[in-house]
Amino acid sequence: IMETINEVTKKNQTKGYRIEYLLDETYYTNKHNLSIFDFKIINGKTEVGVGPSFNYSNGRFAWIFNSENFYKDKNEVGVQYYFDTFGLDLNESKIQLKGKWVNILINAKWADEGFLHLWIDGKLVSSYYGNTLAGTEKIRLKFGPYRNYMDDATSKNIEIPDLKIKYANIGKSNNCDEFWSSCKELIDQLSTNPQAHFAHAIIICNTAPNKDTRCRNSGWPQKKIPF
């Protein structure tokens, strides 16, 4: 389910988002990916790339978002944008992400000098400062489960089980108070520096024009966060 083109957010706008989901505790992804929600980048009226996304892949949750580094290439539907990305490999021993209702709040300024903050159940997970809409004009929220890379499972005769997931309280607003009762508690967790919490590691993926994507562990938390 996605925003219509008349409802998408334009460059230089600041928005808050809320997504609440319930994923069965027994569900497990083996050799494929489940997208719980994501954003799509738009130029004109056309989706040209993938924005931030919240995924469950091979039994691990990840919050993935773009850096300011990208290149453009043509495919069968037109010009597409391919970004280098940051990915937080979230630690379920520190934050529960299945078997209960999970509340995700996002505050984003989609701009050259923007920011992207994410809280889960009122706890700051990620705070990023930088170009959040590099080279593009608009962004739309899409939610509802879909799975990809399923050939990796079926080619090995791995069964992909049925999925049970519920959503509630999906919204976008200019005002945090419209969908959270203690916004000051959220804001007080921020600083002028980037942050990452409740993660095993931060993974940096660099996508080259030859479609060769190389990912590496940044070394966090042993090293300085690389944002």
Side-chain angles (χ1 to χ4, degrees):
I1 300 173
M2 65 182 179
E3 298 176 285
T4 67
I5 194 65
N6 294 328
E7 296 172 325
V8 301
T9 301
K10 297 179 181 179
K11 185 175 180 179
N12 296 321
Q13 291 184 322
T14 301
K15 297 291 182 180
Y17 304 85
R18 179 175 179 177
I19 302 99
E20 189 174 359
Y21 75 88
L22 172 61
L23 181 61
D24 191 284
E25 188 174 11
T26 63
Y27 184 74
Y28 183 85
T29 57
N30 191 0
K31 298 292 184 182
H32 69 282
N33 178 70
L34 166 68
S35 175
I36 296 175
F37 71 87
D38 62 12
F39 292 82
K40 300 296 185 184
I41 295 170
I42 297 173
N43 274 341
K45 295 183 178 181
T46 305
E47 290 187 2
V48 297
V50 179
S53 61
F54 193 78
N55 303 304
Y56 185 57
S57 182
N58 293 314
R60 304 286 281 270
F61 286 90
W63 168 236
I64 299 170
F65 53 93
N66 295 337
S67 77
E68 60 186 26
N69 300 319
F70 69 94
Y71 74 93
K72 295 185 285 185
D73 199 3
K74 290 184 178 180
N75 64 12
E76 64 276 8
V77 297
V79 175
Q80 293 288 295
Y81 285 68
Y82 300 89
F83 290 85
D84 295 347
T85 61
F86 298 112
L88 270 68
D89 179 10
L90 299 178
N91 186 345
E92 288 187 81
S93 69
K94 302 293 183 180
I95 189 165
Q96 187 176 351
L97 300 170
K98 286 195 303 182
K100 61 179 286 293
W101 282 103
V102 177
N103 273 284
I104 294 179
L105 299 175
I106 295 170
N107 183 217
K109 182 178 181 180
W110 305 108
D112 293 344
E113 295 183 7
F115 53 76
L116 178 66
H117 310 311
L118 177 136
W119 294 264
I120 297 179
D121 293 334
K123 300 174 182 177
L124 182 65
V125 172
S126 173
S127 177
Y128 170 77
Y129 295 91
N131 193 333
T132 52
L133 206 57
T136 57
E137 301 172 351
K138 306 168 188 173
I139 194 160
R140 79 165 22 127
L141 172 66
K142 297 178 84 170
F143 75 94
Y146 65 89
R147 295 185 277 201
N148 47 22
Y149 305 108
M150 297 172 76
D151 287 350
D152 293 346
T154 56
S155 65
K156 294 179 171 57
N157 296 318
I158 296 172
E159 181 181 358
I160 299 176
D162 290 341
L163 169 65
K164 292 182 180 180
I165 184 169
K166 296 180 180 179
Y167 290 89
N169 298 318
I170 311 295
K172 179 176 76 171
S173 175
N174 296 322
N175 187 345
C176 171
D177 292 323
E178 291 186 8
F179 49 58
W180 198 253
S181 60
S182 304
C183 290
K184 184 178 183 301
E185 294 180 5
L186 303 179
I187 295 169
D188 286 348
Q189 297 174 53
L190 299 172
S191 73
T192 56
N193 296 316
Q195 300 179 60
H197 306 279
F198 310 108
H200 293 287
I202 296 174
I203 308 300
I204 302 172
C205 291
N206 303 106
T207 302
N210 61 6
K211 308 296 191 304
D212 180 22
T213 301
R214 299 181 181 275
C215 299
R216 67 188 188 280
N217 189 332
S218 71
W220 182 88
Q222 287 75 28
K223 297 180 182 179
K224 184 179 179 181
I225 299 171
F227 297 164

